[in-house]
């Protein structure tokens, strides 16, 4: 999403990834009308997936094992390591299931190298960018220590890794730490890098997000508005990096309560990504999901659900059934149905998503808690108050005990808000109000008074404006 440079790809002259000569023949075998055929081995046996790059259809269909074999051959015979990360046809990075497996195979391939070897560091960064944020934090911490020692604290690669590490802090809800590290990194980058350096512009984008997550939405908006102009000037209006800034700007508009503005810019982003990257690219699907969430925040639940259902269909094509992306979007479909006043339809979808997530190795625990809270809300809306309170109490307890979440993480506060609603609906009005009051105080201090989640909690607290629960 940030271009080939950000994941440490070997670059050719002029900063362009050099494509290795194609050394295999591509033909076509007879096959059924719906089967995908691996571009490399020409077989449709086994699991054939999309590479997740800009290639689509037949050009993007492969066995991941064939990609790994191709990358291994290129490295062993030509010393060409870029095939682990970048498609040799379109020169864009792999995404989705293919990227995760390639990254792990790359790390295994270089595991015998010296700890400080740049190629080993490159493989680790690649894996960190594809894996869970918990594993990524451990990897980035190790890489940052190596680069600080071997390159120095002000080296561009060291600063870039510090920027990525700050991103993992942010993903874990450690917003104060993320803001401090990101501010320090951007300050040093401004001292040693060109004003239009890609690394500096990307770090500024994340700094704007950090301000937004710590409740200073206006400071984040100021950074992003200026950054968008810089991106348009240096990379062009349709470059993925420019579109990323537009995405952040849409989120800032959303958090400041300017939902209509957020929907307008998100609709423009989606059109650009469909044209530039294709309808099934990971960034396009991300934009579709973002747009569905904005429609939800406008209480346009039918529109949100329709978009999410389309995303699921495309994600299954790219990532395969059972992938965390697919499970997460299925959860969103159930949530939108629930909020649209159809809890009996939404609850089975939410329950199934939670079951799949719980049974999937390595599934993000923060998302599991998020799914569990949604299921608790469904029980409340179905009138199953005892079940709702039990699920939400347990989920909230786990979130408070999780070092990556804690009492001030938006996901924890969301669960507390749902718990307050469930307690009031069960008749425990005093406790429910107390939970809502405490949640609102934290949200106002940490997120800001104009943020959507804060306003939702305030609405619940103001006279307990809660939706009527459906009968069992």
């Amino acid at each position: 999403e940030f271009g080939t440079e950000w994941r440490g790809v070997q670059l050719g002259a002029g900063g362009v990834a050099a494509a290795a000569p194609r050394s295999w023949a591509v033909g076509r075998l007879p096959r059924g009308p719906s089967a995908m055929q691996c571009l490399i081995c020409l077989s449709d046996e086994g699991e054939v997936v999309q590479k997740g790059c800009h290639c689509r259809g037949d050009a993007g269909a492969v066995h991941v094992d064939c990609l790994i074999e191709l990358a291994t051959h290129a490295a062993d015979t030509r010393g060409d390591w870029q095939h682990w990360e970048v498609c040799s046809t379109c020169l864009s990075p792999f995404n989705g299931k293919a990227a995760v497996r390639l990254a792990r195979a790359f790390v295994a391939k270089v595991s015998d190298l010296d700890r400080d070897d740049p190629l080993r560091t490159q493989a680790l960064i690649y894996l960190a960018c594809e894996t869970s944020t918990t594993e990524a934090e451990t990897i980035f911490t190790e890489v940052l220590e190596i680069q600080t020692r071997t390159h120095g604290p002000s080296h561009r690669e060291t600063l870039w890794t510090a920027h990525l590490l700050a991103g993992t802090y942010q993903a874990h809800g450690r917003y104060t730490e993320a803001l401090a590290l990101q501010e320090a990194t951007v300050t040093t980058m401004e001292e040693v890098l060109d004003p239009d350096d890609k690394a500096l512009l990307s770090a500024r984008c994340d700094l704007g997000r950090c301000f937004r997550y710590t409740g200073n939405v206006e400071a984040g908006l100021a950074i992003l508005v200026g950054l968008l102009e810089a991106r348009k000037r240096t990379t062009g209006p349709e470059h993925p990096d420019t579109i990323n800034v537009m995405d952040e700007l849409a989120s800032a508009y959303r958090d400041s309560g300017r939902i209509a503005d957020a929907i307008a810019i998100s609709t423009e982003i989606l059109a650009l990504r469909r044209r530039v990257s294709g309808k099934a690219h990971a960034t396009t699907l991300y934009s579709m999901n973002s747009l569905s969430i904005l429609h939800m925040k406008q209480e346009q639940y039918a529109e949100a659900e329709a978009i999410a259902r389309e995303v699921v269909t495309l994600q299954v094509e790219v990532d395969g059934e059972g992938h965390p992306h697919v499970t997460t979007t299925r959860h969103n479909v159930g949530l939108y149905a629930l909020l649209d006043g159809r809890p009996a339809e939404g609850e089975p979808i939410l329950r199934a998503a939670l079951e799949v997530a719980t049974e999937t190795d390595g599934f993000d625990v923060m998302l599991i808690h998020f799914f569990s809270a949604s299921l608790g809300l469904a029980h409340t809306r179905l009138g199953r108050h005892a079940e709702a309170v039990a699920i939400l109490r347990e989920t909230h307890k786990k979130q408070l005990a999780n070092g990556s979440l804690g009492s001030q993480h938006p996901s924890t506060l969301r669960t507390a808000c749902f718990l307050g609603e469930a307690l009031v609906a069960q008749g425990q009005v005093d406790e429910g109000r107390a939970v809502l009051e405490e949640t609102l105080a934290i949200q106002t201090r940490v997120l800001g008074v104009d943020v959507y989640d804060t306003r939702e909690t305030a609405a619940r607290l103001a006279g307990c404006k809660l939706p009527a629960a459906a009968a069992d």
Side-chain angles (χ1 to χ4, degrees):
E1 187 167 335
F2 295 96
T4 55
E5 182 182 7
W6 80 290
R7 292 199 290 200
V9 175
Q10 299 295 315
L11 300 178
V16 178
R22 295 276 295 273
S23 59
W24 66 93
V26 178
R28 183 171 299 280
L29 297 175
R31 57 193 171 102
S34 61
M36 286 197 299
Q37 176 180 291
C38 176
L39 176 72
I40 300 171
C41 73
L42 310 181
S43 170
D44 58 5
E45 297 293 327
E47 184 181 25
V48 179
V49 302
Q50 289 289 319
K51 293 181 287 184
C53 56
H54 287 170
C55 297
R56 285 292 176 264
D58 289 347
V62 293
H63 293 115
V64 178
D65 285 342
C66 288
L67 271 182
I68 293 173
E69 184 177 346
L70 177 66
T72 302
H73 177 76
D76 290 345
T77 61
R78 300 193 301 273
D80 180 358
W81 295 88
Q82 74 167 350
H83 288 281
W84 294 102
E85 304 183 52
V86 178
C87 172
S88 62
T89 303
C90 67
L91 300 182
S92 66
F94 299 119
N95 280 286
K97 182 182 293 186
V100 175
R101 287 189 55 194
L102 278 162
R104 293 199 182 281
F106 188 8
V107 170
K109 175 73 174 173
V110 300
S111 60
D112 292 336
L113 296 178
D114 184 79
R115 183 172 183 267
D116 293 351
D117 191 290
L119 191 59
R120 176 180 177 273
T121 300
Q122 175 183 331
L124 287 172
I125 291 175
Y126 179 28
L127 176 59
C129 292
E130 298 298 338
T131 189
S132 69
T133 54
T134 300
E135 185 178 5
E137 181 179 337
T138 301
I139 294 172
F140 284 138
T141 300
E142 177 187 352
V143 171
L144 183 60
E145 182 273 324
I146 293 172
Q147 291 175 330
T148 300
R149 177 166 40 80
T150 59
H151 299 344
S154 299
H155 191 278
R156 186 177 187 276
E157 291 183 14
T158 307
L159 293 168
W160 183 250
T161 301
H163 152 68
L164 295 175
L165 178 59
T168 66
Y169 292 164
Q170 177 183 289
H172 290 157
R174 290 152 55 187
Y175 301 126
T176 302
E177 291 177 72
L179 178 59
L181 180 55
Q182 204 68 265
E183 276 194 295
T185 301
V186 168
T187 298
T188 305
M189 283 182 170
E190 289 173 341
E191 294 172 354
V192 301
L193 301 180
D194 183 87
D196 291 333
D197 188 284
K198 287 178 61 177
L200 173 56
L201 296 179
S202 293
R204 280 179 177 157
C205 185
D206 280 6
L207 179 59
R209 186 188 303 128
C210 283
F211 277 120
R212 177 165 61 85
Y213 281 9
T214 52
N216 196 344
V217 179
E218 293 305 316
L221 275 170
I223 290 174
L224 294 169
V225 169
L227 183 59
L228 181 58
E229 294 306 312
R231 280 296 193 189
K232 287 180 177 179
R233 184 183 70 255
T234 58
T235 58
E238 294 190 356
H239 191 277
D241 291 342
T242 304
I243 300 172
N244 289 339
V245 178
M246 295 173 65
D247 223 342
E248 287 299 325
L249 191 57
S251 296
Y253 284 147
R254 179 196 67 200
D255 286 353
S256 66
R258 297 163 60 179
I259 304 297
D261 290 337
I263 289 178
I265 195 170
S266 293
T267 302
E268 181 183 356
I269 291 167
L270 181 55
L272 284 170
R273 280 186 163 151
R274 279 174 168 161
R275 184 166 69 249
V276 173
S277 302
K279 69 175 185 179
H281 192 268
T283 56
T284 305
L285 299 179
Y286 172 82
S287 293
M288 292 177 71
N289 265 328
S290 296
L291 185 58
S292 74
I293 292 171
L294 289 171
H295 281 296
M296 177 198 73
K297 291 181 182 296
Q298 284 283 75
E299 300 183 4
Q300 298 168 349
Y301 303 123
E303 291 89 340
E305 184 179 344
I307 294 172
R309 288 184 180 277
E310 182 182 357
V311 172
V312 167
T313 301
L314 294 169
Q315 283 177 328
V316 169
E317 176 188 339
V318 175
D319 297 320
E321 193 64 67
H323 190 280
H325 292 166
V326 178
T327 304
T328 301
T329 309
R330 287 197 194 283
H331 159 272
N332 291 349
V333 170
L335 179 62
Y336 299 150
L338 168 64
L339 297 175
D340 196 34
R342 295 177 284 127
E345 183 178 337
E347 188 272 344
I349 300 174
L350 294 170
R351 177 164 31 85
L354 179 59
E355 290 173 356
V356 171
T358 304
E359 295 168 0
T360 301
D361 289 339
F363 202 97
D364 194 322
V365 68
M366 289 187 286
L367 284 177
I368 292 176
H369 295 328
F370 193 88
F371 294 180
S372 181
S374 295
L375 183 60
L377 180 63
H379 285 310
T380 299
R381 301 290 170 87
L382 286 167
R384 305 169 185 165
H385 304 312
E387 294 172 76
V389 169
I391 289 175
L392 291 166
R393 281 194 194 279
E394 181 65 20
T395 302
H396 192 238
K397 179 180 177 181
K398 290 178 179 178
Q399 289 173 318
L400 291 174
N402 188 318
S404 297
L405 292 171
S407 62
Q408 298 185 9
H409 192 281
S411 184
T412 306
L413 295 170
R414 172 180 180 265
T415 302
C417 180
F418 291 173
L419 176 59
E421 176 180 336
L423 288 166
V424 171
Q426 193 182 34
Q428 301 181 54
V429 178
D430 290 342
E431 184 181 357
R433 283 185 181 277
V435 170
L436 290 170
E437 287 173 352
E438 181 181 2
T439 302
L440 180 60
I442 297 173
Q443 288 174 324
T444 301
R445 184 178 71 254
V446 175
L447 303 178
V449 68
D450 293 327
V451 174
Y452 173 83
D453 288 352
T454 306
R455 297 198 306 271
E456 283 292 292
T457 304
R460 282 173 165 85
L461 186 59
C464 290
K465 296 179 181 177
L466 306 178
D472 282 320

